[in-house]
Amino acid sequence: MNNSYDRDKVVDCMFDPVTSSIIAELEDGEKNSQYLAEKSSISENEVRERLSYLIGHNFILEKQIGEQLIFSADVDKLSLVVEDGENFDAAIEGLEKMDSFLN
Protein backbone atom coordinates (compact mmCIF):
# COMPACT_ATOMS: atom_id res chain seq x y z
CA MET A 1 0.00 0.00 0.00
CA ASN A 2 1.29 3.49 -0.88
CA ASN A 3 2.52 5.26 2.26
CA SER A 4 2.64 8.77 0.77
CA TYR A 5 -0.38 9.85 2.83
CA ASP A 6 -0.77 10.59 6.51
CA ARG A 7 -2.61 7.55 7.86
CA ASP A 8 -3.79 9.37 10.98
CA LYS A 9 -5.29 12.10 8.83
CA VAL A 10 -7.11 9.52 6.68
CA VAL A 11 -8.49 7.83 9.80
CA ASP A 12 -9.53 11.20 11.25
CA CYS A 13 -11.34 12.01 7.99
CA MET A 14 -13.05 8.63 7.94
CA PHE A 15 -14.32 8.93 11.51
CA ASP A 16 -15.40 12.55 11.43
CA PRO A 17 -19.20 12.27 11.90
CA VAL A 18 -20.16 14.29 8.81
CA THR A 19 -17.44 12.90 6.55
CA SER A 20 -18.15 9.33 7.64
CA SER A 21 -21.83 9.76 6.71
CA ILE A 22 -20.74 10.97 3.26
CA ILE A 23 -18.41 7.99 2.87
CA ALA A 24 -21.21 5.66 3.97
CA GLU A 25 -23.39 7.04 1.17
CA LEU A 26 -20.58 6.31 -1.30
CA GLU A 27 -20.24 2.68 -0.23
CA ASP A 28 -23.31 1.85 -2.38
CA GLY A 29 -21.80 3.50 -5.45
CA GLU A 30 -21.18 6.92 -6.89
CA LYS A 31 -23.27 9.92 -5.86
CA ASN A 32 -23.39 13.51 -7.03
CA SER A 33 -22.36 16.40 -4.80
CA GLN A 34 -25.89 17.81 -4.61
CA TYR A 35 -27.27 14.54 -3.22
CA LEU A 36 -24.42 14.27 -0.70
CA ALA A 37 -24.90 17.90 0.37
CA GLU A 38 -28.62 17.38 0.95
CA LYS A 39 -28.09 14.15 2.90
CA SER A 40 -25.41 15.77 5.09
CA SER A 41 -27.11 19.17 5.49
CA ILE A 42 -24.00 20.99 4.24
CA SER A 43 -23.14 22.86 1.04
CA GLU A 44 -21.75 21.16 -2.05
CA ASN A 45 -18.52 23.11 -1.54
CA GLU A 46 -18.22 21.73 1.99
CA VAL A 47 -18.74 18.19 0.70
CA ARG A 48 -15.76 18.72 -1.63
CA GLU A 49 -13.75 20.36 1.17
CA ARG A 50 -14.38 17.52 3.62
CA LEU A 51 -13.36 14.92 1.04
CA SER A 52 -10.41 16.86 -0.37
CA TYR A 53 -7.65 14.98 1.49
CA LEU A 54 -9.21 11.63 0.61
CA ILE A 55 -9.61 12.73 -3.01
CA GLY A 56 -6.00 13.87 -3.14
CA HIS A 57 -4.87 10.37 -2.18
CA ASN A 58 -7.42 8.46 -4.29
CA PHE A 59 -9.49 7.08 -1.44
CA ILE A 60 -12.41 9.01 -2.91
CA LEU A 61 -12.61 9.38 -6.68
CA GLU A 62 -14.06 12.47 -8.30
CA LYS A 63 -15.23 13.17 -11.82
CA GLN A 64 -17.20 15.96 -13.41
CA ILE A 65 -20.11 15.31 -15.73
CA GLY A 66 -21.39 18.56 -17.13
CA GLU A 67 -21.93 20.89 -14.18
CA GLN A 68 -22.15 18.08 -11.61
CA LEU A 69 -19.35 16.61 -9.47
CA ILE A 70 -19.67 12.86 -8.99
CA PHE A 71 -17.90 11.09 -6.13
CA SER A 72 -17.21 7.41 -5.52
CA ALA A 73 -15.23 5.60 -2.83
CA ASP A 74 -12.41 3.13 -3.25
CA VAL A 75 -13.88 0.96 -0.51
CA ASP A 76 -11.05 -1.58 -0.66
CA LYS A 77 -8.40 1.10 -0.17
CA LEU A 78 -10.35 2.68 2.71
CA SER A 79 -10.77 -0.73 4.36
CA LEU A 80 -7.05 -1.44 4.15
CA VAL A 81 -6.26 1.72 6.11
CA VAL A 82 -8.56 0.67 8.94
CA GLU A 83 -7.45 -2.96 8.87
CA ASP A 84 -3.74 -2.13 8.81
CA GLY A 85 -2.26 -3.41 12.08
CA GLU A 86 -0.51 -0.21 13.05
CA ASN A 87 -3.67 1.80 12.35
CA PHE A 88 -6.06 -0.43 14.24
CA ASP A 89 -5.47 1.45 17.49
CA ALA A 90 -6.03 4.75 15.68
CA ALA A 91 -9.27 3.40 14.23
CA ILE A 92 -10.46 2.34 17.70
CA GLU A 93 -9.51 5.77 19.02
CA GLY A 94 -11.48 7.33 16.16
CA LEU A 95 -14.52 5.24 17.02
CA GLU A 96 -14.21 6.26 20.65
CA LYS A 97 -14.03 9.93 19.60
CA MET A 98 -17.13 9.51 17.46
CA ASP A 99 -18.94 7.68 20.28
CA SER A 100 -18.15 10.42 22.79
CA PHE A 101 -19.28 13.03 20.26
CA LEU A 102 -22.58 11.24 19.69
CA ASN A 103 -23.22 10.79 23.42
Side-chain angles (χ1 to χ4, degrees), residues 6 10 20-21 27 37 43 63 69 77 82 89 94 97 103:
D6 180 339
V10 172
S20 67
S21 70
E27 288 178 353
S43 71
K63 63 183 174 183
L69 283 177
K77 190 171 180 179
V82 176
D89 290 338
K97 281 184 201 175
N103 290 327

Side-chain angles (χ1 to χ4, degrees), residues 27-83:
E27 288 178 353
D28 305 347
E30 62 184 32
K31 305 283 187 314
N32 68 50
S33 58
Q34 182 180 1
Y35 173 84
L36 294 171
E38 289 172 6
K39 287 296 249 182
S40 304
S41 301
I42 60 176
S43 71
E44 289 182 63
N45 286 338
E46 191 172 347
V47 168
R48 173 70 171 71
E49 237 175 73
R50 287 179 169 276
L51 296 176
S52 64
Y53 190 80
L54 299 173
I55 291 167
H57 295 282
N58 297 317
F59 290 96
I60 301 293
L61 307 173
E62 171 186 49
K63 63 183 174 183
Q64 186 157 356
I65 300 177
E67 299 282 320
Q68 196 61 250
L69 283 177
I70 309 295
F71 298 100
S72 60
D74 185 334
V75 178
D76 294 334
K77 190 171 180 179
L78 288 167
S79 295
L80 287 174
V81 170
V82 176
E83 293 170 1

